[in-house]
């Protein structure tokens, strides 16, 4: 699941009726401080340094296995 202390997260976005996904790596330690994944994506400074997540277009987010 973890590679060098990170987790892979898949994000599903909608834009004008079209869906697309993006994958990113976030620090595993950052996620355990939040009850919900969306809160970590919106508030965690270590995540915000890496990526901006447009939560208005975000439909779903989940942690995926590295397999």
């Amino acid at each position: 699941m973890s590679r060098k202390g990170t987790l892979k997260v898949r994000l599903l976005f909608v834009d004008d009726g079209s869906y697309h996904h993006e994958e990113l790596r976030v620090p595993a330690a950052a996620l355990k401080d939040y009850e919900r994944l969306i809160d970590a994506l919106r508030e965690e400074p270590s995540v915000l340094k890496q990526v901006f997540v447009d939560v208005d277009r975000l439909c779903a987010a989940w942690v995926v296995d590295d397999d």
Side-chain angles (χ1 to χ4, degrees):
M1 174 173 34
S2 175
R3 182 172 26 155
K4 296 182 183 175
T6 64
L7 296 172
K8 187 188 299 185
V9 175
R10 180 170 287 163
L11 308 174
L12 179 65
F13 294 96
V14 64
D15 191 22
D16 294 325
S18 297
Y19 292 87
H20 68 278
H21 75 272
E22 300 288 334
E23 290 182 353
L24 61 120
R25 291 202 158 274
V26 297
L31 297 184
K32 67 181 182 180
D33 292 335
Y34 293 87
E35 195 170 306
R36 302 180 317 161
L37 175 58
I38 187 69
D39 294 333
L41 296 173
R42 293 174 62 189
E43 301 171 10
E44 175 58 39
S46 63
V47 174
L48 294 173
K49 285 182 186 178
Q50 296 177 21
V51 65
F52 168 76
V53 177
D54 185 353
V55 293
D56 291 334
R57 297 185 314 133
L58 183 64
C59 296
W62 62 97
V63 175
V64 295
D65 288 334
D66 282 334
D67 298 338

